[in-house]
Amino acid sequence: MVTEELTRWLQGVLLGKTPSPTVRIVQLGQACNVEEEQYSERIYTIREGGTLELQCLVTGHPRPQIRWTKTAGGTSDLQVNSSLHSETLRIENIHRHQGGRYYCKAENGLGSPAIRSIRVDVYYMDDPVITVHQSDDEVKEQFYFERTVFLRCAADSNPLVHYTWLRGREVLSEGSDSGVEIYKPFFTQGETKILKLKNLRMRDYAVYTCIASVRNACDMRDKHSVFSLSNNTAPPFIRLLPEEPVVVNPGQSVTLMCKVSNGDPPPALRWWKQEGEELPKRSIIDEGRLTIPRITADDGGTYTCTASNNVGNPAKKSMSILVRGLCKGRFWITPDPYHNEDNIQIGREVKISCQVEATPPEELQFSWLKNGRPLRSSERMIITHTDTSVSPGTTNLDIIDLKFTDFGTYTCVASLRNGGIPEISIDVNISTTTVPPELTIPKGQSQLIVQEGDTIDLQCLVSGKPKPIILWSRVEESGAAAAAAAALMPDGSAQMESYDGILRISNVTREMSGTYRCQTSQYNGFNVKPREALIQLVVQFPPTIEPAYTEVRQALGRAFSLTCSLLQANPARVLQYEWKLGSRLLTVGQFTDQTHDTTYQVKSLNREGYGEYTCDITNEAGAGRCTFLVTGKAYFPEFYYDTYSALWQNRPQVYGFKLQWTQMEPNAVDRILAYRLGIRQMGQSRWWEQEIPMEGAIQRGQLLTYNLTELIKPESYLVRLTPITRFGEGDSAERIITYSAPVNPHLREFQCGFEEEAVCLFSQDKVDEFDWIRHSATTKNSKNTATTGPSADRTGSKQGFYMYIEASRMRVEGDKARLLSPTFNINSKSFSSSSPVSNKPSYCFTFYYHMYGKHIGALNIFLRQKGQILTDSLVWSLSGNQGNHWRQARVNIHPSTAFQMVMEGVRGSGIEGDIAVDDVTIEEGKCKDPPPNNLRSFAPPLSLCIWQLCVPLRLVLTGWQR
């Protein structure tokens, strides 16, 4: 039993079309070179800065969708833009990183997608750079002194660069001077060339030139770099002023000076900030002077000056700028550090700690006040400070044997020794009311329920004096994936601070559900074990359903069902559903714990049944809606773009066009009664419309045809086609018809020597195994086999071009390559297709062939006629080695309709099987004086060849002999 898909494919074949997509990539822009690397891929070479323009030619029905991608190392790096979905990919001012393999993918839902690739090789060459390194060696037996200089020339390029060294005007080469060596480092691939000057001599002090060349590839001219080597040549050395780190107050200006004390040639200076930061935007650089006006705390850091003159290693010096300031003042109270106590008690020790970050840290100083009066260290009031080199700085006040008279307000004052910066004061009250913190959750708020999108306040009540800062975080749920998601707070941080104990979350989402922790901080309060409490947040949200919207096309009288599925909801219990058609209620119900969808069935569709069906699934948080638009509209027609001989002309000023299409899913709705055809000349606003009646039911895949006539040359037209059923008009489809003049509207003579890159509009067949190659003897190719193929074109010219098949590139015996001529029209009024051969027009097809090599396969010539059925008739064939000579063949042909000539090369049993053709001619009339050749008498059985499907026809032919 033949499947529906196979049936459609066979219909397509018999109608002269391929349903599954095919694809071919051609280049439109100017390229440096285009060559074939493998049988399925070409290499397109372009110079950096040029415009890359590739066109993806597709066939297939329905019209395939196109997408361009680029991969480099397995990663697609084409940015999304509209050109990725069009036939032409255009990249202006192409950059080197945009080289790589480009893929064109075409798919239309039938069979496998068609994919072709082309490799884009971007050529470029940077200016060469000369670097110099010197070595001194005084250890050789105490009396031998050697000084060696290395000149390294490097240039980034594609293809690999070739180097030439000159000393003055003298070209240096290996062996030309015993004191000179030229070599490439082992770890490079040709982009570096080192000139080694051994035991430096006086004549080695000279001007050296490195010439970098890619041998005029892509018309890229040679580039050069010059270095003058002298006895003064030396690497750079610099000094920074001032020499000590700079300490300044905010708002002041800072100037750093980078002075060159040595280096020849004079080095170039560059300032930069370490850790990858940019220099402040206010910075002013004047040669080696760096000035930063109105400095801020953010401008502090390490600044580096680098000097380079390509001799030795660059010199580098760094300087720190410290912007004075105080920040992040904190305190904590430790009740009785030597006992596990949380409360302050009379007769016990109390420790007050104060911490501040200072820049520079060595200038930080603390002082203490009690009730506004200075406090000095004593036996019962012990004041200590941490080492000033440790940041942040901390001071401690230990009160030994606490008494009632010690109660009061203690103030920690932080300042910088040299002044100029405001002090930081921190007050800490010690009294009977100074107690450690406690956390509680307001009654009824340990679990909060909120609707998605609302705002919610999570509150922790904190008591105690002083009140500490509250830290909010999320409790990690079980499971790795849940833990990773739960670790972050709504603002994306791991922890949030609150001074009043309230965490406000706006626009709550379902992902914010979970457990939240509030806890006391160990600073700005008691230094005791943190207190904490938990709040459970439950976010309710309406049901998530599918499909949100879908269109259902149905014919009258048919039964169908609509299903709305539940994906997610909270709460997930007591879910109800309600089906409506427009505003009319159809049915209601309730979900069970085991059901996750609801279905509404229509037993027989009537006209009142068309419209918008909705299904609302509701919970406490709201409703989710599925929408189904049930319509009797027909789907859009799918234009067929691969029609052979679609355009014709039989009058000077007008032309005709064969419009062909299939109907998408014709059986989904009622029978299509007619099509409304609209046509508008491009650039005009007026439409002409008419109806095309349809007799009988249209089958899926059936090719429909309508001839458009009286189209004005050379205008283009926009065509719109709309199917009509008893429901009304369906979806429309549009396409543009463009006039293209035939290759030879009045064929008398056609000649092609393949000298132009357009190859006289010859084209490669899209369904063969490999392609013909345009070639000349001057094009060097290491893959060519010397014992096969021609050494010149048929005239003997090394510069002349011809077409040939390459047998040595991944080919197997029997592989075929087909070269298609342009389509030729003939005068259809002078004969009919049923006329005998003697009454049909005659043409002489002439060509030269070269078939040299012990593995030669075959060369076949077909006459392809383009009627309602595409037919290939074998008119000439030759196989085997014919010697290292060009030979001429002439064939009489008698086409009855528009035709092409197909030149088919068949690969033989080995690599020595190249076949070439040249100087193709088609002349009106029979051949005159056919040249003698050793062709066997050839009379093939008549065959009907439809693409790859050839069916021999057993006919009795009068006078036919084997």
Side-chain angles (χ1 to χ4, degrees), residues 135 153 157 193 278 387 475 502 514 656 865 873 914:
S135 66
C153 185
S157 70
K193 201 65 169 288
E278 294 183 357
D387 188 349
V475 178
I502 295 177
Q865 300 193 70
S873 302
D914 294 354

Side-chain angles (χ1 to χ4, degrees), residues 60 66 162 183 234 277 291 310 335 383 447 531 620 861 961:
I66 295 174
H162 301 269
Y183 64 94
E277 298 181 33
T291 301
N310 292 339
I383 298 175
Q447 184 182 47
R531 275 56 168 169
E620 296 177 19
I861 306 298
Q961 298 178 352

Side-chain angles (χ1 to χ4, degrees), residues 70-120:
K70 173 181 178 284
T71 56
T75 304
S76 179
D77 58 3
L78 262 182
Q79 297 182 352
V80 177
N81 57 59
S82 59
S83 68
L84 301 186
H85 301 279
S86 64
E87 290 189 357
T88 302
L89 175 67
R90 181 181 174 88
I91 302 177
E92 296 182 354
N93 192 24
I94 192 168
H95 195 265
R96 62 193 65 179
H97 75 269
Q98 293 174 307
R101 185 168 280 109
Y102 286 79
Y103 294 87
C104 177
K105 180 180 180 181
E107 54 184 339
N108 62 357
L110 297 178
S112 300
I115 302 176
R116 279 295 179 97
S117 66
I118 186 169
R119 206 175 83 201
V120 176

Side-chain angles (χ1 to χ4, degrees), residues 400-566:
I400 310 299
D401 188 14
L402 181 68
K403 302 180 183 299
F404 280 106
T405 56
D406 295 329
F407 288 162
T409 299
Y410 292 84
T411 303
C412 165
V413 180
S415 62
L416 292 181
R417 186 172 298 112
N418 295 324
I421 299 297
E423 299 175 337
I424 290 181
S425 298
I426 302 173
D427 293 333
V428 182
N429 185 266
I430 302 295
S431 68
T432 55
T433 60
T434 304
V435 293
E438 294 296 334
L439 276 181
T440 58
I441 303 297
K443 186 177 180 180
Q445 294 192 30
S446 59
Q447 184 182 47
L448 299 176
I449 298 176
V450 65
Q451 303 289 318
E452 190 171 38
D454 289 349
T455 297
I456 186 71
D457 286 341
L458 281 64
Q459 184 176 18
C460 280
L461 299 178
V462 57
S463 62
K465 184 179 179 180
K467 287 186 178 181
I469 295 174
I470 302 301
L471 304 178
W472 286 93
S473 61
R474 294 182 70 173
V475 178
E476 296 182 354
E477 307 290 344
S478 59
L488 298 180
M489 294 292 288
D491 67 348
S493 64
Q495 196 175 68
M496 295 175 65
E497 290 185 349
S498 169
Y499 290 89
D500 58 3
I502 295 177
L503 173 65
R504 172 162 291 184
I505 305 177
S506 302
N507 192 22
V508 178
T509 65
R510 62 194 68 181
E511 291 78 14
M512 296 177 186
S513 294
T515 303
Y516 288 77
R517 176 193 293 114
C518 63
Q519 67 180 26
T520 58
S521 66
Q522 289 184 296
Y523 51 88
N524 290 10
F526 273 73
N527 182 23
V528 294
K529 182 180 179 180
R531 275 56 168 169
E532 66 176 43
L534 301 178
I535 297 178
Q536 185 72 28
L537 180 63
V538 178
V539 181
Q540 294 184 344
F541 52 89
T544 303
I545 49 83
E546 69 174 6
Y549 178 86
T550 188
E551 189 179 67
V552 179
R553 309 215 180 195
Q554 286 291 341
L556 291 171
R558 292 185 184 173
F560 64 95
S561 61
L562 308 174
T563 299
C564 185
S565 299
L566 173 66

Side-chain angles (χ1 to χ4, degrees), residues 116 134 187 233 363 408 525 585-586 954:
R116 279 295 179 97
Q134 305 179 60
F187 54 85
T233 299
E363 289 190 17
L585 182 64
L586 300 176
R954 298 181 179 178

Side-chain angles (χ1 to χ4, degrees), residues 787-788 807 813 852-858 880-881 906-915:
T787 54
T788 185
E813 185 174 2
Y852 169 56
K854 61 182 179 181
H855 301 136
I856 290 291
N881 186 3
V906 183
R907 202 260 196 187
S909 59
I911 65 173
E912 297 182 25
D914 294 354
I915 299 175

Side-chain angles (χ1 to χ4, degrees), residues 287-334:
E287 295 183 350
R289 183 192 304 269
L290 170 65
T291 301
I292 306 174
R294 303 181 305 282
I295 199 164
T296 66
D298 293 336
D299 298 332
T302 302
Y303 290 79
T304 300
C305 175
T306 302
S308 175
N309 65 351
N310 292 339
V311 179
N313 296 320
K316 183 168 64 174
K317 293 285 185 178
S318 298
M319 176 65 65
S320 295
I321 297 179
L322 303 177
V323 182
R324 303 172 74 244
L326 297 171
C327 64
K328 294 185 179 178
R330 294 177 174 181
F331 76 93
W332 58 91
I333 303 171
T334 306

